[in-house]
Amino acid sequence: MSELSRKCPSTDADPLDSLGGTAHAAGECLPPWKGRAILLVDLDAFFASVEQLDHPGWRGKPVIVGGDPQKRGVVSTASYEARKFGVRSAMPSSQAQRLCPHAVWTCGHYHRYREMSNKIMGILHDETPFVQQVSIDEAFLDVSPNNVNTEHPVEIAQRIQRRVEALGVTCSVGVGSSKTVAKIASDMDKPRGLTVVYPGTERDFLGPLPVRSLSGVGASSEAKLKSAGILTLGDIADAGLEQLKRLLGKNGATMYIRACGLDDTAVEDDDTVKSVSNETSFAVDLTERVDIEAAISAMATKVGRRLRRRGLAGHTLGLKVRYDNRSVRSVQKTLRDQTDDDLLFTPLLLEMLSEVWHPGIAVRLVGVSMSGFESTVVQESLFEDAEQLQVTKDSPLDGGKRKGLLEATDKVKDRFGEMAVRFGHEMRSSANTTGSSAKNPSDYK
């Protein structure tokens, strides 16, 4: 492992300050790169960094983007100033407030984060057509040297960091021969880090790291590995393929390959959307059916709008419910026809509620999803739309009028924002949300 500034002792300047002719001179001291070159670009404390960019008075202060501490909110992002106090992403907001009571709090401006993310992804696409965005603030790039691309991967990483910083935020970059190595390297020296693992040094780099460093190793897998005396990635590599299979089942082979630095997974610009979903947690548990139905309807409205914005229509409708004890129940149904019409599929979701909830059970979260965007469906229809929805030619909600209503509300929201026009069920449930948000890339496209 090496940082560029240490690899090139002939230059005392920060690696991000060397571009153009200077960068070329710095590149002369870089060992040649042979084989695949994968970058993982990770934006540093992205949401908080954008807030500090837009609010100069917040710079240098602890900033937390997340849900309301009084309403079961969760931290989305914390600035590095806040992280010094132990605040981390996914931490309950109430805990973060105790750790850093003087922090600046904001519920977030996600349209702004999306705007900035799109600009940065544009920079990455300038460098290579092989870009795989994995979240709003993270992407893999394949910059492998070839007859067309003769530039050193480290110089490309330098230039990306400089161009991102010119926008007002920073990024850390991992450079390696695989996605696994690049991802781990990107986390080694944040913020504004550049960590390079040259081909042939993967085992030395990975070996001392704890097993939890590896993507795909969660608490359960970690416990199984530790029970067998496997504590580091080097231990995984030494254990061998067969033992890993016995310990972790079908995932054992994948973990072994990654720990050995042999991951050859391609960087794929796969924009295929497999599902569109929305879920929300509640500040106060819901116990009445009318409130749960209002929340489901609000989630369905958001899913329908996202489907129409992307030109998608799905066959498979999903409903998810989390109870107050954190257990989860879900149900899926397959529709006869593909649809993006939330006025059509919301009544079906309300029927499905009876399969996962009974009166007296407190509900902490509800989620709605639509998938099955392929053109053919294997299952027979589980619903006859006309019978289930009682839609007739005389109904004010017949197909044509539903379409007109949805088009009208979409146009108003496109022009004036999502809050410009809302149905009653959206207004009923909005006051009881935590204000938290995830980093799902599909939510920002």
Side-chain angles (χ1 to χ4, degrees):
M1 178 184 67
S2 62
E3 290 181 324
L4 180 61
S5 55
R6 297 174 184 169
K7 179 60 69 176
C8 299
S10 60
T11 63
D12 295 328
D14 189 292
L16 297 185
D17 293 333
S18 58
L19 285 177
T22 307
H24 179 73
E28 292 176 355
C29 73
L30 295 171
W33 193 285
K34 297 180 180 180
R36 296 178 78 217
I38 308 299
L39 309 186
L40 191 282
V41 177
D42 189 358
L43 303 178
D44 299 322
F46 182 49
F47 292 175
S49 295
V50 174
E51 294 294 343
Q52 290 176 319
L53 172 66
D54 292 347
H55 302 86
W58 296 359
R59 296 173 190 173
K61 297 180 179 179
V63 174
I64 299 175
V65 180
D68 192 326
Q70 310 304 319
K71 295 184 176 182
R72 295 177 174 171
V74 175
V75 174
S76 294
T77 309
S79 69
Y80 285 94
E81 295 86 355
R83 295 183 190 191
K84 292 178 181 178
F85 293 88
V87 180
R88 295 290 183 269
S89 297
M91 175 182 286
S93 296
S94 56
Q95 181 182 356
Q97 188 177 53
R98 289 194 297 272
L99 291 171
C100 191
H102 58 291
V104 177
W105 280 82
T106 175
C107 62
H109 300 87
Y110 299 99
H111 67 284
R112 176 69 173 124
Y113 309 151
R114 179 173 61 246
E115 175 188 31
M116 182 65 78
S117 175
N118 289 341
K119 290 180 180 179
I120 294 168
M121 294 303 152
I123 289 173
L124 305 188
H125 281 282
D126 284 346
E127 297 292 343
T128 175
F130 306 109
V131 178
Q132 180 180 349
Q133 184 177 359
V134 293
S135 71
I136 190 173
D137 58 357
E138 199 172 19
F140 287 105
L141 292 79
D142 188 331
V143 294
S144 302
N146 53 43
N147 292 335
V148 176
N149 173 35
T150 58
E151 191 171 13
H152 199 288
V154 174
E155 292 183 318
I156 296 174
Q158 284 183 285
R159 183 166 56 248
I160 288 172
Q161 287 190 300
R162 180 63 173 269
R163 293 184 66 186
V164 170
E165 189 165 10
L167 294 177
V169 297
T170 65
C171 66
S172 295
V173 183
V175 188
S177 59
S178 71
K179 292 167 77 172
T180 296
V181 171
K183 168 61 179 172
I184 294 175
S186 71
D187 290 329
M188 298 301 291
D189 188 35
K190 297 176 69 67
R192 207 167 172 259
L194 176 57
T195 303
V196 183
V197 183
Y198 280 85
T201 68
E202 294 88 356
R203 288 288 294 269
D204 292 338
F205 169 71
L206 295 172
L209 301 177
V211 294
R212 199 64 180 268
S213 303
L214 201 61
S215 175
V217 176
S220 176
S221 297
E222 181 183 30
K224 292 178 182 178
L225 292 168
K226 286 187 174 181
S227 69
I230 298 174
L231 306 179
T232 67
L233 300 190
D235 293 338
I236 291 180
D238 293 339
L241 179 59
E242 294 306 316
Q243 184 177 1
L244 264 293
K245 286 182 177 179
R246 288 194 297 271
L247 285 171
L248 302 179
K250 63 181 181 180
N251 292 327
T254 300
M255 297 302 105
Y256 175 76
I257 291 170
R258 291 176 177 174
C260 291
L262 301 176
D263 174 23
D264 62 355
T265 307
V267 173
E268 297 178 331
D269 183 12
D270 183 7
D271 246 355
T272 302
V273 178
K274 295 179 174 61
S275 69
V276 174
S277 63
N278 198 88
E279 62 182 40
T280 190
S281 299
F282 308 111
V284 178
D285 291 339
L286 305 183
T287 56
E288 299 297 326
R289 185 178 183 103
V290 63
D291 294 323
I292 300 171
E293 288 187 347
I296 292 171
S297 300
M299 296 301 98
T301 297
K302 292 182 179 181
V303 168
R305 176 153 166 74
R306 290 176 180 174
L307 288 169
R308 292 188 294 275
R309 288 175 64 180
R310 300 174 196 176
L312 296 172
H315 282 294
T316 306
L317 189 62
L319 176 64
K320 171 184 174 182
V321 175
R322 177 176 294 150
Y323 305 135
D324 59 343
N325 64 3
R326 296 185 180 274
S327 62
V328 176
R329 289 283 304 279
S330 60
V331 60
Q332 286 188 337
K333 299 294 183 181
T334 300
L335 311 181
R336 182 188 63 196
D337 300 314
Q338 291 178 314
T339 184
D340 61 4
D341 184 344
D342 49 279
L343 296 178
L344 182 69
F345 62 70
T346 296
L348 305 182
L349 289 164
L350 302 185
E351 292 180 17
M352 292 159 62
L353 176 60
S354 297
E355 299 187 37
V356 294
W357 177 82
H358 301 287
I361 301 177
V363 173
R364 185 185 183 95
L365 171 150
V366 298
V368 170
S369 66
M370 181 68 81
S371 58
F373 304 127
E374 65 279 3
S375 59
T376 59
V377 175
V378 176
Q379 283 185 264
E380 295 292 329
S381 170
L382 297 179
F383 294 105
E384 291 297 329
D385 294 345
E387 293 179 8
Q388 294 293 325
L389 296 178
Q390 299 179 348
V391 175
T392 69
K393 289 184 178 180
D394 298 328
S395 169
L397 287 180
D398 64 26
K401 292 182 179 179
R402 286 199 316 274
K403 182 178 179 180
L405 176 59
L406 292 171
E407 287 179 349
T409 56
D410 284 346
K411 287 180 179 178
V412 172
K413 290 181 178 182
D414 288 342
R415 182 172 181 181
F416 298 106
E418 297 298 320
M419 305 295 286
V421 57
R422 292 187 290 171
F423 293 105
H425 54 255
E426 295 178 272
M427 298 179 67
R428 182 186 184 99
S429 60
S430 62
N432 190 27
T433 61
T434 65
S436 305
S437 183
K439 294 185 179 181
N440 185 339
S442 66
D443 291 344
Y444 300 91
K445 293 181 179 177

